[in-house]
């Protein structure tokens, strides 16, 4: 179909090419969830200077929030085009570090596409067709409200999805609930970054994380995929040099879904791969028959330096810790009514 469209310069006038088909059929309400998670991150006492140019959103693994959120929203949408409410339409009340940057939206989209069959999503206050209050209200009024069409995104769902991604989605997984209680070190043979490809801003963040002279552990590899144009610009800015001194290896113009065999991936099927990509954590176990772990970018670099990760389930990102007991903090006056 894509080749035919390219040849004649036209696409079928159906599906999301028709305005009516772009309207949402389900609301995914994550406003309380967003506030709870952001409140937990607010508790971190850090600043841009104290962490060598790495800001609060990275130190708290806030980057993993949008990956898990996309994964959850894909599941909850059940094939319908969703309107996702996070309270981001109230831009004057959102601190800049909480607002999704392009890298967050890239991670969200990749994770959403992993679990969803819907061809499109809207995020109130973010995506082009849902930026204005009037447009959001029109979308909400167009939806027939019932328990299936207005769904709350809750912390339990986020926690379950994070755990599934962190334990290989149940595939080739040797971790049990009992083993999560021990404090043994779990060697990580490969840290896989760049699924989707690393952006220039992600290269800049990695440069900040690695610029203090840190080096990866001898028993772990760090491999990143990226496009050659981004690599060229990152090289010009000095990022590639810093990353290579840390020990990062680069692969251009392909993706992890094509890198399925040794020597790229670990030889033993019992070896562990850590990734910051929800998409890779979902598909990787089935494609490679290896065991996967999931974490934020900061977590990936920490593990690369140490060469291991604690088995004990203490590596939760800040936005997920203690969240079940802080839900009451999210109760506030919301712009749009809760169904």
């Amino acid at each position: 179909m894509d080749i035919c469209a390219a040849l004649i310069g036209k696409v079928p006038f159906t599906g999301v090419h028709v305005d009516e088909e772009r309207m949402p059929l389900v609301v995914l309400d994550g406003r309380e969830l967003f506030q709870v998670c952001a409140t937990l991150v607010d508790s971190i006492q850090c600043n841009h200077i104290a962490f060598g140019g790495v800001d609060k959103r990275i130190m708290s693994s806030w980057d993993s929030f949008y990956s898990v959120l996309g994964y959850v929203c894909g599941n909850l949408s059940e094939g319908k085009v969703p309107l996702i409410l996070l309270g981001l339409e109230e831009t004057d009340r959102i601190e800049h570090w909480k607002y999704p940057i392009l890298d967050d939206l890239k991670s969200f989209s990749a994770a959403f596409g992993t679990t969803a069959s819907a061809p499109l999503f809207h995020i109130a206050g973010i995506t082009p067709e849902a930026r204005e209050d009037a447009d959001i209200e029109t979308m909400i009024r167009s939806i027939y409200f019932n328990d299936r069409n207005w769904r709350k995104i809750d912390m339990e769902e986020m926690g379950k999805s994070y755990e599934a991604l962190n334990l290989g989605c149940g595939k080739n997984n040797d971790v049990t609930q009992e083993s999560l209680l021990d404090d043994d070190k779990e060697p990580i043979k490969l840290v896989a970054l760049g699924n989707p490809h690393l952006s220039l801003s992600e290269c800049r963040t990695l440069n900040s994380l690695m610029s203090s002279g840190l080096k990866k552990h001898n028993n772990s590899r760090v491999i990143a995929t990226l496009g050659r144009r981004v690599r060229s610009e990152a090289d010009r800015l000095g990022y590639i040099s810093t990353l290579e001194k840390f020990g990062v290896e680069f692969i251009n113009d392909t993706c992890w879904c094509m890198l399925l065999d040794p020597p790229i991936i670990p030889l033993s099927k019992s070896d562990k791969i850590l990734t910051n990509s929800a998409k890779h954590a979902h598909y990787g176990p089935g494609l490679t028959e290896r065991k996967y772990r999931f974490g934020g970018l900061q977590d990936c670099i920490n593990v690369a330096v140490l060469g291991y990760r604690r088995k004990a389930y203490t590596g939760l990102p800040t936005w997920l810790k203690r969240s079940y007991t802080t839900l009451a903090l999210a109760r506030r006056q919301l712009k749009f009514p809760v169904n």
Side-chain angles (χ1 to χ4, degrees):
M1 180 68 75
D2 291 341
I3 293 174
C4 292
L7 288 172
I8 68 172
K10 296 180 180 180
V11 296
F13 189 58
T14 186
V16 291
H17 298 293
V18 181
D19 288 344
E20 292 78 9
E21 297 293 328
R22 300 179 68 84
M23 291 296 287
L25 296 174
V26 60
V27 171
L28 304 181
D29 190 346
R31 290 172 292 174
E32 287 184 357
L33 168 82
F34 185 86
Q35 189 185 4
V36 168
C37 294
T39 298
L40 290 170
V41 176
D42 267 331
S43 66
I44 293 180
Q45 299 299 315
C46 68
N47 57 59
H48 187 78
I49 298 174
F51 290 94
V54 181
D55 61 12
K56 181 182 286 191
R57 64 186 312 280
I58 296 298
M59 296 305 300
S60 64
S61 292
W62 187 246
D63 54 318
S64 66
F65 170 81
Y66 286 103
S67 292
V68 178
L69 181 66
Y71 196 82
V72 169
C73 288
N75 275 321
L76 293 179
S77 62
E78 296 182 339
K80 301 174 182 177
V81 174
L83 171 63
I84 301 160
L85 299 178
L86 297 175
L88 294 174
E89 66 280 359
E90 304 174 49
T91 54
D92 57 328
R93 300 177 62 179
I94 301 294
E95 294 179 66
H96 69 90
W97 67 264
K98 301 174 188 175
Y99 208 75
I101 61 176
L102 287 178
D103 292 329
D104 296 328
L105 296 177
K106 179 183 71 170
S107 298
F108 178 96
S109 299
F112 180 86
T114 298
T115 54
S117 57
L120 176 71
F121 63 81
H122 303 281
I123 302 178
I126 300 294
T127 50
E129 293 161 82
R131 283 185 182 154
E132 303 298 328
D133 285 354
D135 295 328
I136 299 169
E137 290 169 354
T138 297
M139 288 181 175
I140 290 175
R141 285 198 300 268
S142 72
I143 297 171
Y144 174 76
F145 289 111
N146 57 36
D147 291 341
R148 303 294 297 174
N149 293 340
W150 189 296
R151 309 191 68 176
K152 295 283 289 293
I153 309 172
D154 59 33
M155 188 56 68
E156 182 178 3
E157 192 70 35
M158 292 286 283
K160 286 179 179 178
S161 293
Y162 184 92
E163 182 178 359
L165 292 167
N166 192 40
L167 301 183
C169 297
K171 301 170 186 174
N172 308 311
N173 176 37
D174 61 350
V175 178
T176 64
Q177 288 299 118
E178 291 74 21
S179 69
L180 289 174
L181 299 177
D182 67 43
D183 198 37
D184 292 341
K185 297 174 182 178
E186 179 180 59
I188 299 294
K189 287 294 186 180
L190 171 63
V191 175
L193 305 174
N195 189 353
H197 281 170
L198 288 180
S199 67
L200 187 62
S201 58
E202 286 174 315
C203 290
R204 181 170 59 248
T205 297
L206 287 169
N207 178 76
S208 295
L209 288 168
M210 300 173 182
S211 60
S212 61
L214 293 173
K215 293 186 181 296
K216 74 169 188 65
H217 195 277
N218 289 335
N219 293 334
S220 296
R221 297 177 73 190
V222 183
I223 302 179
T225 62
L226 72 174
R228 65 183 63 195
R229 175 180 286 184
V230 170
R231 175 166 181 170
S232 177
E233 182 65 11
D235 195 17
R236 185 185 70 81
L237 293 169
Y239 302 157
I240 298 297
S241 175
T242 301
L243 271 58
E244 286 181 333
K245 288 177 182 176
F246 177 87
V248 178
E249 303 169 60
F250 295 98
I251 299 177
N252 290 351
D253 299 334
T254 188
C255 77
W256 281 105
C257 290
M258 306 296 293
L259 303 171
L260 307 179
D261 300 296
I264 301 300
I265 67 169
L267 181 63
S268 172
K269 291 185 178 182
S270 64
D271 286 338
K272 312 297 191 304
I273 299 173
L274 173 64
T275 180
N276 68 328
S277 165
K279 177 181 178 181
H280 195 194
H282 177 90
Y283 288 120
L287 290 172
T288 68
E289 298 184 353
R290 301 304 188 271
K291 297 173 176 59
Y292 274 72
R293 303 292 181 259
F294 172 74
L297 202 56
Q298 175 73 67
D299 188 28
C300 288
I301 302 310
N302 289 345
V303 168
V305 171
L306 295 171
Y308 65 84
R309 201 185 198 197
R310 294 288 185 186
K311 273 188 181 180
Y313 206 42
T314 56
L316 289 174
T318 304
W319 57 263
L320 192 54
K321 290 177 181 175
R322 307 184 311 279
S323 297
Y324 299 104
T325 61
T326 57
L327 184 60
L329 298 176
R331 305 297 179 183
R332 61 181 174 87
Q333 186 67 33
L334 299 173
K335 178 173 286 190
F336 300 108
V338 177
N339 187 48

